[in-house]
Amino acid sequence: MTNKVVVLGSLNVDTTLHIDQMPKPGETISAKSKTNSAGGKGANQAVAAARSGADTSFIGRVGEDSNGQFMIDALKHDGINTDHVDIDKVNGTGSAVILLDNQGQNSIMVYGGANQAMKPEMIVDSESLIDNADILISEFETPQDVTYEAFKLAKEHGVTTILNPAPASKILDGLLDVTDLIVPNETESATLTGIEAVDTDSMDQNAAKFAEMGIDNLIITVGDRGAYYHTPSGSGFVPAFKVKAKDTTAAGDTFIGAFSSQVKKDLSNVEEALVYAQKASSITVRRLGALPSIPTAEEIAAEYK
């Protein structure tokens, strides 16, 4: 069975500056090199889903500029349906500047542009697309009120909704009521619950806090350590595959996109889907860039026979 995945999210052109170490406040440093690539959390997640075999569509917005066409072409290159990517005649296409050091760690600054100009009324035109989906994913690089409208429609049509609250910010009232699964990293989880996620006990406490907030299904990604999951039927920790990272830029997005390609609508195979997602992201971190680093299902199968 092939999952039909719709991603509502951001489209950014990423500029990566390769540096020896992160600058200190007030310090001027030289970049060793510069690369440009297609990115944005939404684009990364959609490409990861598509490359793992999901029938993938995108809801988003770009500027009426060359970067916008570049992003649409990048999605189409992976067979992603872009019929619901709007053209914004006022705001430019989103962009990000990424500082990447020798250890593979990064700092990212994002300009929202057209991504942040999306309006809830846009979603009406995407109802049939959402109706036909198995999974709908969204993050916080686009306005939460747009996600809320989309998730409400999804729930009316029996579609499973996955929320990646990144970058972390206060969650819009009502949004968790129409969210089936929330997937923060450990920093985002702590920001939202006020509880540091450092071990299984504290992650259990995070799960309890999210349950109080109205969401029973949780995955916390913990970088190179792995991922914690909690559902009403059980909880556990799936360790990451140990690799030497070159660039962690799209690791979390690869994880979510790959996961969405494998998970069942009722989330009954969460642990199995998590293992697959860990395999995908372990390949991503060994490559440079966002979209260029995301593996295909064939590459994942070859790597982990």
Side-chain angles (χ1 to χ4, degrees), residues 248-269:
T248 58
T249 301
D253 298 331
T254 298
F255 179 96
I256 290 170
F259 175 84
S260 74
S261 75
Q262 305 297 309
V263 74
K264 293 178 180 176
K265 285 180 68 174
D266 63 2
L267 306 178
S268 60
N269 66 334

Side-chain angles (χ1 to χ4, degrees), residues 223-255:
D224 60 4
R225 287 166 53 204
Y228 165 91
Y229 69 93
H230 184 97
T231 70
S233 56
S235 64
F237 194 87
V238 176
F241 294 86
K242 295 301 179 190
V243 298
K244 182 167 174 52
K246 284 185 181 177
D247 181 1
T248 58
T249 301
D253 298 331
T254 298
F255 179 96

Side-chain angles (χ1 to χ4, degrees), residues 6-303:
V6 174
V7 178
L8 161 61
S10 55
L11 297 164
N12 293 330
V13 175
D14 291 344
T15 298
T16 302
L17 299 175
H18 301 264
I19 57 179
D20 288 323
Q21 65 220 12
M22 293 295 168
K24 299 179 180 68
E27 182 183 17
T28 299
I29 63 171
S30 294
K32 296 183 293 184
S33 60
K34 180 180 86 166
T35 52
N36 291 307
S37 64
K41 296 192 75 64
N44 296 340
Q45 291 170 9
V47 167
R51 289 185 187 170
S52 279
D55 179 350
T56 310
S57 301
F58 203 92
I59 302 171
R61 197 169 204 169
V62 294
E64 193 176 32
D65 48 37
S66 59
N67 278 348
Q69 191 58 52
F70 175 69
M71 290 307 305
I72 290 171
D73 291 345
L75 295 179
K76 285 182 175 177
H77 178 74
D78 278 286
I80 296 166
N81 174 359
T82 61
D83 292 349
H84 295 260
V85 177
D86 281 1
I87 307 297
D88 189 320
K89 297 184 184 302
V90 177
N91 300 282
T93 300
S95 61
V97 176
I98 301 165
L99 301 181
L100 176 66
D101 71 14
N102 286 341
Q103 281 68 52
Q105 294 303 308
N106 59 45
S107 291
I108 304 174
M109 294 145 284
V110 177
Y111 161 68
N115 296 311
Q116 287 297 325
M118 292 176 70
K119 302 293 183 192
E121 48 267 28
M122 283 177 57
I123 296 303
V124 174
D125 295 332
S126 300
E127 181 167 6
S128 62
L129 181 71
I130 293 169
D131 179 18
N132 288 313
D134 297 307
I135 309 283
L136 173 62
I137 306 171
S138 192
E139 339 79 28
F140 284 175
E141 286 187 346
T142 49
Q144 290 190 44
D145 56 354
V146 180
T147 297
Y148 182 44
E149 288 304 312
F151 276 23
K152 281 195 293 186
L153 275 182
K155 296 325 298 167
E156 288 174 20
H157 295 292
V159 177
T160 299
T161 52
I162 299 177
L163 181 66
N164 173 214
S169 60
K170 186 178 185 300
I171 298 176
L172 183 73
D173 287 348
L175 180 54
L176 289 182
D177 296 336
V178 286
T179 299
D180 292 309
L181 171 66
I182 190 165
V183 190
N185 64 23
E186 74 268 40
T187 305
E188 292 150 0
S189 191
T191 299
L192 295 170
T193 65
I195 303 166
E196 292 291 322
V198 293
D199 54 22
T200 304
D201 284 347
S202 58
M203 290 181 202
D204 286 341
Q205 292 171 30
N206 270 265
K209 185 67 175 179
F210 275 116
E212 283 178 27
M213 294 161 66
I215 179 90
D216 291 326
N217 297 302
L218 167 70
I219 294 170
I220 303 175
T221 58
V222 200
D224 60 4
R225 287 166 53 204
Y228 165 91
Y229 69 93
H230 184 97
T231 70
S233 56
S235 64
F237 194 87
V238 176
F241 294 86
K242 295 301 179 190
V243 298
K244 182 167 174 52
K246 284 185 181 177
D247 181 1
T248 58
T249 301
D253 298 331
T254 298
F255 179 96
I256 290 170
F259 175 84
S260 74
S261 75
Q262 305 297 309
V263 74
K264 293 178 180 176
K265 285 180 68 174
D266 63 2
L267 306 178
S268 60
N269 66 334
V270 162
E271 193 164 351
E272 179 187 336
L274 280 177
V275 172
Y276 180 86
Q278 295 282 20
K279 291 175 180 177
S281 56
S282 78
I283 296 173
T284 294
V285 299
R286 283 177 273 167
R287 300 169 171 177
L288 293 176
L291 259 58
S293 70
I294 298 170
T296 62
E298 292 75 18
E299 288 173 322
I300 296 165
E303 179 79 17

